[in-house]
Amino acid sequence: MGNAPKRPESKQKFSTNHKPQPSFDLLTVEANNELECFTYGVNHNGEGICLLVSMGPHRFLLDCGLIDISSLVKDMENFSQTTDFPLPVDGILVTHAHPDHSRSLLALHKEFPLIPIYASEVTSELLYLNWLDCEQSVPQFCQALPLRTAVELKEGLLVELYPAGHLPGAVIIMLTYITPKQTYNLMYTGDFFLSNSRLVEGLRLEELRGFPLDVLVVGATYGTLHHPHRRHQENQLAERINSAIKKGYSVILPTPPLGLGQELLMLLRSHHYFTGRDIDIWVDGAVAIVCDAYLKLLPHLPASVQNFARYQPLFWDERVRPRVRRLNPEEHSSMSQSLCIILTDSPEKFSGYYQSNDKPWLILIPEKTEVKLEEQSLKKVMVETYFLAQHSDASGTTQLIHNLRPQHIIFVHGSPNYLTDLACLEELQNRYHIHSPTANMLVELPVGEVLLQPNSFDTSYKGEITELGTTVTITLPDEIVTNPRWRQFADTGLVEARWQGEDLIVRGLSPKELISQTHNRYTSYNIDCCSVCKYQRKQRCWNQASPLYNFKVTLDGYCPAFEHNNQED
């Protein structure tokens, strides 16, 4: 534990552009009380991420994506007034440029302009995208740190950045605090992704092995969920878009402007379904602005992307099919004349895209994203969801943990239910000291002691099973049906059950599964009901003569306006 981790020989002194902290005697530092983490935001409910880490006398903020920074500013002002330290924190370390990790940096910089802010070179170039609506130009307030190089920010405190996948410039932060008695290592992942995506290479675990890690603060967005491989997800999305275009639908892809928008654009440009197709891809709003920012960072993108850009433009290209164009207001009329795909970050513009013509449209929304549509526009529009992961799932998270083997794990960034599920995994409970804090909680991190696990949440609940003839009824307790996840699980009222060894696995069936051909076994074609009505799509009625028009319907429902669908999908 006392040995420092292996590091590159080059060690840089880095300017902090503020007065040095008062000197302190490292020999008086007491072991076992050196590490603490205060959680200003853990992004349980979209509040953003912001963590205050204390290592001995050093205090650093990890990310600053809070929606409301008033409590943070108040605490920092109180600290400055009650201590002799010139600044409330030694610096701010930023993992990447997504809003939930960085949107408060500009406001905090205005309050405390002398506090240094550090990030990777790419992130420092992308941060301004958080404040595109700012009337004044955003100053360059972030200092770029090199990758894979130990930098001494304060005496006895080293920081080292490693690529994290997820987004260009995203990094994992490694903090090392060295005392004469002991060396302490803390790692913060931010958002990470082990798989390669179109514009970002995945996290390399081999770069992180070998550190004697004390604390791992890990973003665990998907909890215990497991996902298919990234390429499989991409192929499913491409197949759905291709199918819609074949049926005469134009497609709208609402997307966050930074990261996912560019991934979707590269998918459309390079997937075999679309290569050479006579289709226009229009890019609107902030998505187009971020594309321009990516073009300036081309040397930092993967070699495969740079090679692609040698032979054709990375984004804007009207010569090679499919054509990629920036959508300007004067081009709306020409856009609507033929089949097209639109990428946008502005749901309020949807009706403007399709109200000038009568062709059908498909809107594909990333899962867990709410998009409101004007009611009068729904007649010619289908709305579906898709999934394209940008964070590691349970397999990736546990793989990272077992490779690093920290003493303490702090789970952040995800719904409380998902993080609790992960924290209660037996394979983690038996090996590590696990914390899953809420916002505004102090987590003490004693190192080197024999640690007992805190009381874990009870995630097992007792129900009843009743058998009467050929009918089996399972009664679930309130703890299950009052859980927010129940609404999604029981959305259709139908479940699928299968044996897994001695365990019976039950899962809810989604509306999408119910109307797909692979789940036709759950539908009776011998009964006149909504499931076989020609006007039922996506479990919603589209027959204007029906009293159920524009309402969500159950598949076994029926109305007088029923007409049997005799055509195959």
Side-chain angles (χ1 to χ4, degrees):
M1 198 59 116
N3 296 326
K6 297 178 181 178
R7 302 240 179 220
E9 294 183 359
S10 60
K11 185 175 73 172
Q12 303 180 6
K13 285 280 188 179
F14 206 85
S15 172
T16 58
N17 81 11
H18 67 80
K19 296 179 180 180
Q21 294 276 16
S23 60
F24 57 89
D25 185 0
L26 288 175
L27 295 177
T28 65
V29 174
E30 292 292 329
N32 300 331
N33 294 316
E34 291 305 297
L35 304 184
E36 290 182 342
C37 178
F38 185 81
T39 57
Y40 280 101
V42 292
N43 212 31
H44 275 178
N45 300 296
E47 76 274 12
I49 284 282
C50 184
L51 309 171
L52 175 63
V53 168
S54 300
M55 302 184 77
H58 308 300
R59 292 158 49 90
F60 278 86
L61 284 179
L62 303 179
D63 283 336
C64 194
L66 298 174
I67 294 177
D68 181 5
I69 64 169
S70 56
S71 63
L72 173 61
V73 170
K74 182 178 179 180
D75 286 351
M76 293 174 71
E77 290 175 343
N78 290 340
F79 183 87
S80 298
Q81 293 169 3
T82 56
T83 66
D84 296 330
F85 291 87
L87 289 173
V89 295
D90 294 292
I92 305 171
L93 294 163
V94 186
T95 57
H96 63 288
H98 273 152
D100 56 336
H101 291 257
S102 60
R103 64 183 147 216
S104 309
L105 288 172
L106 181 59
L108 197 63
H109 173 69
K110 291 179 179 178
E111 295 284 346
F112 303 95
L114 295 181
I115 295 178
I117 300 174
Y118 307 103
S120 69
E121 182 179 353
V122 173
T123 296
S124 66
E125 296 294 329
L126 293 175
L127 282 177
Y128 78 94
L129 297 169
N130 285 285
W131 309 289
L132 293 175
D133 296 333
C134 187
E135 296 180 357
Q136 301 177 345
S137 61
V138 177
Q140 177 60 267
F141 55 79
C142 184
Q143 301 183 46
L145 293 176
L147 298 176
R148 305 179 180 93
T149 302
V151 176
E152 187 172 27
L153 294 183
K154 304 293 294 182
E155 184 177 355
L157 186 78
L158 305 177
V159 63
E160 196 162 359
L161 307 183
Y162 292 91
H166 179 66
L167 183 76
V171 294
I172 281 178
I173 297 171
M174 179 71 172
L175 287 170
T176 300
Y177 170 47
I178 303 173
T179 76
K181 294 183 178 180
Q182 193 167 356
T183 295
Y184 301 88
N185 294 302
L186 180 147
M187 182 179 289
Y188 170 48
T189 67
D191 294 337
F192 73 99
F193 198 28
L194 297 183
S195 300
N196 291 336
S197 49
R198 296 278 168 171
L199 293 165
V200 190
E201 292 181 343
L203 167 69
R204 299 176 183 174
L205 284 175
E206 62 271 16
E207 290 190 328
L208 305 180
R209 295 192 189 103
F211 288 110
L213 195 61
D214 300 307
V215 180
L216 175 64
V217 185
V218 58
T221 304
Y222 295 133
T224 55
L225 296 179
H226 293 266
H227 302 140
H229 192 273
R230 168 72 178 218
R231 282 292 181 262
H232 180 69
Q233 299 170 34
E234 292 181 350
N235 289 336
Q236 282 190 320
L237 175 59
E239 184 177 352
R240 180 66 190 97
I241 297 173
N242 179 56
S243 173
I245 291 174
K246 282 185 175 181
K247 295 179 180 179
Y249 283 79
S250 288
V251 179
I252 299 176
L253 293 167
T255 173
L258 175 57
L260 182 58
Q262 293 66 45
E263 289 287 327
L264 290 173
L265 188 51
M266 283 303 295
L267 171 63
L268 295 171
R269 294 213 68 193
S270 54
H271 199 281
H272 67 88
Y273 277 135
F274 309 104
T275 302
R277 293 280 292 274
D278 188 16
I279 302 172
D280 288 318
I281 301 173
W282 299 92
V283 186
D284 198 9
V287 182
I289 296 174
V290 177
C291 287
D292 291 335
Y294 269 49
L295 293 176
K296 298 177 182 179
L297 301 171
L298 188 59
H300 299 278
L301 299 182
S304 59
V305 178
Q306 297 182 43
N307 186 58
F308 179 95
R310 289 192 184 98
Y311 300 99
Q312 57 181 297
L314 187 59
F315 295 128
W316 315 122
D317 195 342
E318 299 192 16
R319 299 170 301 169
V320 177
R321 298 176 180 179
R323 295 172 293 272
V324 181
R325 301 175 175 179
R326 188 190 306 269
L327 181 59
N328 299 313
E330 62 272 12
E331 292 170 316
H332 273 235
S333 57
S334 60
M335 171 204 70
S336 62
Q337 301 304 315
S338 59
L339 292 178
C340 64
I341 302 173
I342 302 174
L343 278 72
T344 180
D345 67 313
S346 305
E348 65 275 6
K349 294 182 179 180
F350 285 179
S351 60
Y353 296 140
Y354 49 71
Q355 66 183 186
S356 60
N357 62 81
D358 294 326
K359 67 183 179 183
W361 289 79
L362 170 65
I363 299 178
L364 289 172
I365 303 171
E367 281 191 10
K368 301 179 182 178
T369 300
E370 294 185 3
V371 176
K372 296 182 179 179
L373 300 176
E374 299 178 9
E375 292 296 326
Q376 64 270 25
S377 302
L378 291 176
K379 299 178 184 178
K380 55 186 178 182
V381 176
M382 286 199 307
V383 181
E384 297 179 10
T385 62
Y386 68 91
F387 181 75
L388 196 61
Q390 293 185 288
H391 308 78
S392 284
D393 63 0
S395 298
T397 303
T398 54
Q399 187 178 355
L400 175 72
I401 291 170
H402 293 325
N403 271 270
L404 298 176
R405 294 183 292 178
Q407 186 174 148
H408 291 269
I409 302 171
I410 303 177
F411 287 122
V412 297
H413 202 290
S415 76
N417 289 324
Y418 280 11
L419 297 187
T420 298
D421 292 344
L422 192 61
C424 291
L425 287 180
E426 187 175 351
E427 64 174 293
L428 301 181
Q429 285 275 331
N430 292 340
R431 300 184 185 184
Y432 313 103
H433 193 67
I434 301 173
H435 313 265
S436 185
T438 59
N440 299 308
M441 180 178 291
L442 179 65
V443 181
E444 296 181 346
L445 302 163
V447 173
E449 298 179 353
V450 177
L451 297 171
L452 298 177
Q453 285 290 358
N455 293 329
S456 61
F457 296 99
D458 186 5
T459 57
S460 299
Y461 306 101
K462 295 180 180 179
E464 294 182 355
I465 185 167
T466 305
E467 185 176 355
L468 183 60
T470 60
T471 301
V472 175
T473 302
I474 299 176
T475 304
L476 300 175
D478 290 342
E479 290 87 349
I480 293 292
V481 297
T482 58
N483 190 297
R485 287 173 287 184
W486 177 256
R487 291 184 177 273
Q488 182 176 357
F489 180 88
D491 190 24
T492 63
L494 296 177
V495 298
E496 180 180 70
R498 61 182 173 84
W499 288 107
Q500 183 173 300
E502 296 299 319
D503 297 324
L504 181 65
I505 307 299
V506 180
R507 70 179 189 90
L509 291 173
S510 68
K512 182 177 181 180
E513 289 176 309
L514 286 177
I515 65 171
S516 68
Q517 294 181 355
T518 58
H519 285 79
N520 281 343
R521 62 183 183 274
Y522 299 104
T523 303
S524 174
Y525 286 91
N526 299 320
I527 302 175
D528 292 344
C529 59
C530 291
S531 64
V532 291
C533 179
K534 65 184 295 184
Y535 295 106
Q536 183 271 130
R537 294 197 305 274
K538 296 301 292 179
Q539 218 175 337
R540 191 177 290 272
C541 179
W542 299 97
N543 187 354
Q544 297 186 37
S546 170
L548 299 176
Y549 171 65
N550 205 21
F551 283 100
K552 191 172 184 179
V553 297
T554 58
L555 294 181
D556 57 350
Y558 175 81
C559 79
F562 167 84
E563 289 186 36
H564 199 285
N565 183 9
N566 295 315
Q567 298 180 351
E568 295 183 356
D569 292 339

